[in-house]
Amino acid sequence: MIKNVATTPYVDQKMGTAGIRKKSRTVMQENYVENFIQSLFDAIGGVEGQTFVLGGDGRYYNDVAIQKIIKIAVANKMKKLIVGQNGYISTPASSKILLKNKADGGLVLSASHNPGGVDGDFGIKYAVKSGGQCSSKISDAIYARTKEITSYKIYDCENVDLSKLGIQYIADTEIEVIDPITDYVEMMQQIFDFEAIKALFKSGFTMVFDAMNAVTGPYAVKIFEQILGAPKGSVKNFVPMPDFGGLHPDPNLIYAKELVDLMYSDNAPDFGAANDGDGDRNMILGRKFFVTPSDSLAILTDNYKYIPAYKDGIYGVAKSAATSTAVCRVAKELGIDYYEVPTGWKYFCNLMDSKRITFCGEESFGTGSNHIREKDGIWAVLFWLNILAATKKSVADVVKDFWEKYGRNYYLRYDFESIDNTVADKLMVDLENKLSTLKGQKYGKYTVSEAYPFVYHDPVDNSSTKNGLIVCFEDGSRIVYRLSGTGTSGATLRVYIEAYEKHKTSEDTVNMLTPLADVALQIAQITERTGKIKADVIT
Ligand code: G16
């Protein structure tokens, strides 16, 4: 019943920042998923006798792709597949289940925070034994294989019923359908002080968690409402839908509009949070108050002592280069190591495996720890709830006290979307060539102190990765330029702007950063080259 199907390569199956991410219609082309999965299996030396975790965020085409993957795995003689019930699994839960079962790999069918639906996006993230996404070396090998593939193997059988928990066999492959929520909840209970958070809700504390019609809805209902006692209805948009109910499941001030409007209204609850499509990103809000992801990482690190799992001490901390330097000051104060890595969670994994870091985070609404090898949206929300329960302060007060102690990093990201790829690539090449001439240049009140391409040398595997261009100014401000690796149409230029103020901590962010953003446009000649006079999205 194993069929060998002849195929021709697709030339665009290169992974970006986190797996392969494409328009749904691209992935729906004949043999597109089949080619990619067979190439992946081939590139890693085959999967005979191996165990994989499999699931997705429930977006459009999840149900079709998952059946194809199961049949290809069976035909390639995989020993066991651990599959989330109904084909659903969040990215953090998948990492946990992979580690717990000592599986060889994991596939999460998700385009993360990108919209879903037939006209939306689809993607596949591939994690290795460590629970984190594969290295660039492996993704390069997979890409090379996709360009030469001539056939794939698939098992000819009916679709597998993924609605019932338990074990079934197809040929010699064991398919175990699991409830992915149970293990995840248990892990959270081991990390945080659930009793303190329960007491917080008992005292009348209110929250709204927006699951954005994506995968974390059932996890959030279970944890926040059923276990911790948040009032029923605290979790909104909790039913995962193939098109996310038309929402763009990106938890930021623009796309989580319903939540943001509520949090800035007079009826705001004490605390607001949202997760993205596959549950690895998070946004944190207080009453009329937004916590930037960069500040959130720094504040969680500064408050580690309140969390049972970390209270006895933490290793170092890491952030992506584009993330603000707030956490760097905390690391200094705590006397722990501090690392700066390229954008992409996979770069944190070696640091976690070698016990160099406990916490890490990124400006792109990702925060996490060494409990798994992915960023973890619900973990971040629980960390905040635990801090609020322990300190009895509001979100705004926690943040303001932090600024009082460390000063404030004003921070914004400017995205210039759908730029022609050639134009974007040339802009970056020319800018890189110009960097060495920038030192000492004056732009209004800003003088460039140094400018360089960011190159990361991994202390564990000695690999080097170049990602982004950095311009620093004498007053401590920074501009970082890089091209997104998660988009699906044209190129997105991201410009990250940061200014540090020790004492002026209650200014308006946009007012503080607009002059520097103008400098950023000028240095990279963004308007001249792209025709755009302003960013499409500012977060
Ligand atoms: C992925 C990675 C993150 C990274 C983000 C950046 O997030 O897992 O580590 O920060 O992409 O995206 P871009 O390259 O577009 O700036 P996710 O949540 O999309 O998997």
Side-chain angles (χ1 to χ4, degrees):
M1 296 181 59
I2 297 174
K3 288 201 300 187
N4 264 303
V5 182
T7 188
T8 46
Y10 286 95
V11 292
D12 64 345
Q13 298 193 319
K14 188 171 168 52
M15 292 196 202
T17 312
I20 187 163
R21 215 164 277 191
K22 298 285 169 192
K23 289 274 161 224
S24 302
R25 289 189 195 275
T26 302
V27 179
M28 288 157 68
Q29 293 174 94
E30 192 182 9
N31 295 339
Y32 197 91
V33 169
E34 291 86 338
N35 277 16
F36 181 73
I37 295 296
Q38 184 67 58
S39 300
L40 191 158
F41 290 171
D42 291 348
I44 60 172
V47 291
E48 185 168 352
Q50 296 200 355
T51 297
F52 264 54
V53 178
L54 175 63
D57 64 9
R59 68 179 57 225
Y60 183 83
Y61 210 57
N62 193 121
D63 52 348
V64 177
I66 205 163
Q67 294 291 343
K68 291 180 185 227
I69 296 171
I70 291 172
K71 292 171 192 175
I72 297 168
V74 172
N76 280 271
K77 299 196 178 350
M78 192 175 277
K79 179 167 163 244
K80 179 169 178 176
L81 266 171
I82 303 170
V83 190
Q85 190 173 23
N86 297 316
Y88 292 0
I89 209 164
S90 75
T91 291
S94 172
S95 183
K96 164 67 188 163
I97 291 159
L98 196 160
L99 289 168
K100 186 181 169 192
N101 291 280
K102 299 190 169 54
D104 302 286
L107 297 166
V108 178
L109 313 185
S110 172
S112 189
H113 54 289
N114 297 18
V118 66
D119 292 314
D121 294 345
F122 191 81
I124 303 176
K125 294 180 176 182
Y126 165 51
V128 293
K129 237 182 164 67
S130 71
Q133 287 175 48
C134 71
S135 64
S136 308
K137 199 171 156 198
I138 298 176
S139 61
D140 287 348
I142 297 168
Y143 180 45
R145 180 68 189 146
T146 62
K147 290 190 287 188
E148 59 183 32
I149 188 166
T150 54
S151 70
Y152 62 86
K153 289 196 188 89
I154 191 157
Y155 199 75
D156 191 8
C157 62
E158 294 291 308
N159 282 350
V160 180
D161 181 0
L162 299 177
S163 66
K164 280 191 221 79
L165 299 178
I167 293 173
Q168 48 194 307
Y169 279 86
I170 304 187
D172 291 331
T173 305
E174 178 185 336
I175 316 279
E176 184 181 6
V177 178
I178 58 149
D179 163 13
I181 301 175
T182 313
D183 283 339
Y184 181 80
V185 171
E186 235 178 72
M187 174 172 62
M188 292 299 122
Q189 284 171 318
Q190 283 160 10
I191 296 175
F192 297 105
D193 186 347
F194 269 47
E195 289 313 312
I197 305 174
K198 265 188 210 168
L200 180 71
F201 283 117
K202 228 175 176 172
S203 72
F205 179 90
T206 50
M207 88 178 257
V208 165
F209 177 92
D210 191 344
M212 303 192 85
N213 299 319
V215 77
T216 49
Y219 297 74
V221 170
K222 175 99 193 163
I223 294 176
F224 301 124
E225 294 186 7
Q226 294 173 0
I227 300 180
L228 292 171
K232 204 165 181 320
S234 299
V235 179
K236 308 273 185 222
N237 298 322
F238 57 84
V239 180
M241 295 181 192
D243 66 347
F244 307 117
L247 293 180
H248 184 155
D250 194 354
N252 62 34
L253 291 175
I254 292 166
Y255 297 121
K257 191 172 179 320
E258 196 183 316
L259 175 69
V260 173
D261 287 348
L262 173 68
M263 293 308 295
Y264 279 82
S265 76
D266 292 336
N267 301 322
D270 296 303
F271 180 71
N275 274 188
D276 72 333
D278 60 333
D280 54 4
R281 296 183 176 212
N282 74 90
M283 174 170 66
I284 303 295
L285 297 154
R287 279 206 174 113
K288 301 190 180 180
F289 200 92
F290 164 65
V291 187
T292 69
S294 297
D295 273 352
S296 184
L297 170 65
I299 290 165
L300 300 189
T301 306
D302 199 40
N303 286 285
Y304 76 90
K305 285 209 166 122
Y306 293 120
I307 311 300
Y310 311 118
K311 69 174 181 354
D312 294 334
I314 53 175
Y315 304 119
V317 66
K319 69 165 193 77
S320 63
T323 303
S324 100
T325 50
V327 74
C328 166
R329 266 177 277 284
V330 179
K332 240 184 230 155
E333 171 78 19
L334 297 178
I336 57 174
D337 287 340
Y338 159 78
Y339 297 85
E340 206 173 59
V341 308
T343 293
W345 206 261
K346 57 183 175 243
Y347 297 105
F348 294 127
C349 293
N350 279 344
L351 299 175
M352 290 195 253
D353 290 343
S354 60
K355 296 191 168 38
R356 285 173 164 83
I357 60 165
T358 301
F359 300 138
C360 43
E362 296 181 286
E363 53 67 42
S364 55
F365 294 81
T367 351
S369 88
N370 56 2
H371 64 292
I372 51 170
R373 295 295 179 270
E374 285 284 359
K375 53 192 187 277
D376 189 341
I378 287 184
W379 172 91
V381 175
L382 285 168
F383 203 137
W384 268 95
L385 286 172
N386 203 150
I387 293 174
L388 300 180
T391 60
K392 311 273 185 294
K393 289 184 196 167
S394 68
V395 172
D397 285 344
V398 169
V399 178
K400 285 176 186 165
D401 289 352
F402 176 83
W403 290 341
E404 172 92 1
K405 184 170 166 193
Y406 291 100
R408 177 173 176 190
N409 289 76
Y410 290 89
Y411 187 88
L412 281 175
R413 185 176 95 187
Y414 292 70
D415 291 341
F416 299 85
E417 297 180 338
S418 302
I419 305 173
D420 178 84
N421 282 308
T422 325
V423 171
D425 289 341
K426 175 130 177 42
L427 183 149
M428 290 300 283
V429 170
D430 291 349
L431 180 57
E432 183 171 348
N433 290 334
K434 186 176 167 182
L435 290 180
S436 58
T437 67
L438 291 181
K439 195 171 171 174
Q441 295 272 352
K442 285 193 186 347
Y443 296 89
K445 65 170 185 156
Y446 301 100
T447 306
V448 177
S449 56
E450 51 176 345
Y452 55 93
F454 176 71
V455 182
Y456 176 61
H457 302 289
D458 186 308
V460 178
D461 65 16
N462 293 317
S463 62
S464 288
T465 308
K466 200 161 111 182
N467 188 270
L469 307 173
I470 302 184
V471 182
C472 301
F473 298 87
E474 282 177 357
D475 68 350
S477 306
R478 295 195 326 155
I479 301 172
V480 180
Y481 300 87
R482 60 177 283 279
L483 296 180
S484 158
T486 59
T488 55
S489 57
T492 296
L493 170 66
R494 301 207 195 283
V495 184
Y496 310 84
I497 311 276
E498 171 183 0
Y500 175 68
E501 290 285 343
K502 177 77 185 103
H503 302 293
K504 270 169 55 182
T505 59
S506 49
E507 304 299 311
D508 176 72
T509 304
V510 175
N511 287 345
M512 286 298 282
L513 296 180
T514 300
L516 195 54
D518 290 342
V519 172
L521 259 90
Q522 199 185 329
I523 291 179
Q525 298 179 308
I526 294 175
T527 302
E528 293 85 327
R529 288 163 178 267
T530 67
K532 289 178 185 282
I533 47 171
K534 59 181 181 54
D536 298 285
V537 180
I538 303 176
T539 47

